[in-house]
Amino acid sequence: MDLDARTMLADSGLRITAPRVAVIDALVEMPHAAADAIFAKVSETLPRTSLQAVYNVLGDLATHGLARRIEPAGSPALYELRVGDNHHHVVCTHCGKVADVDCSVGHAPCLTPSETHGFAIAEAEVTYWGVCTECREASVATVH
Ligand SMILES: [Zn+2]
Ligand SMILES: [Zn+2]
């Protein structure tokens, strides 16, 4: 996967701007980041960027298929650059950490519903909920 921001923008026909490049660079470092975390990162290099500008860039990237937006229940929208493979997510119920889980059978949709209601199914988005390694170790440490 080519993660060069300028190439990605050029390939998708988006104009190359400093905020767009900075947002993509931030997402390379922080997959599954919320807009405010991306904004904090982008502000380090572009101090005059606004949160609204970051939202606009994220919207453009999502619309053009460069970024994917996921919304685990109870969490703000998270953005990532891994798109188009219908992968799933495992979310920690304690700390909110998110990790990628490959599609169950490697192609989309990877789950066949028992009833499609006549829909042509294109995608299956699964969120697995659990407790991450760090949180499990932390709870074991407090018990003993
Ligand atoms: Zn956790
Ligand atoms: Zn992901």
Side-chain angles (χ1 to χ4, degrees):
M1 184 155 122
D2 188 353
L3 287 179
D4 178 71
R6 287 161 196 282
T7 312
M8 287 170 67
L9 289 167
D11 286 353
S12 65
L14 278 170
R15 206 156 56 84
I16 296 170
T17 64
R20 283 175 177 162
V21 171
V23 167
I24 291 174
D25 286 346
L27 283 170
V28 170
E29 277 181 54
M30 308 185 296
H32 313 119
D36 53 356
I38 297 164
F39 171 60
K41 185 82 198 160
V42 168
S43 301
E44 291 172 13
T45 47
L46 299 173
R48 294 174 67 181
T49 307
S50 66
L51 180 59
Q52 187 54 49
V54 167
Y55 271 112
N56 293 345
V57 169
L58 288 167
D60 289 343
L61 296 180
T63 307
H64 287 78
L66 291 179
R68 176 173 161 189
R69 177 189 159 101
I70 58 164
E71 292 175 85
S75 160
L78 306 175
Y79 296 85
E80 66 180 333
L81 295 174
R82 187 177 162 183
V83 296
D85 65 352
N86 193 76
H87 74 272
H88 308 304
H89 294 100
V90 57
V91 183
C92 177
T93 51
H94 282 239
C95 68
K97 185 162 111 186
V98 178
D100 286 338
V101 178
D102 282 342
C103 190
S104 308
V105 295
H107 60 84
C110 70
L111 301 176
T112 309
S114 52
E115 170 59 80
T116 63
H117 297 280
F119 286 46
I121 308 295
E123 212 179 324
E125 190 173 318
V126 179
T127 304
Y128 301 92
W129 296 92
V131 180
C132 75
T133 320
E134 285 83 10
C135 289
R136 280 214 318 274
E137 281 168 2
S139 67
V140 169
T142 38
V143 170
H144 293 285

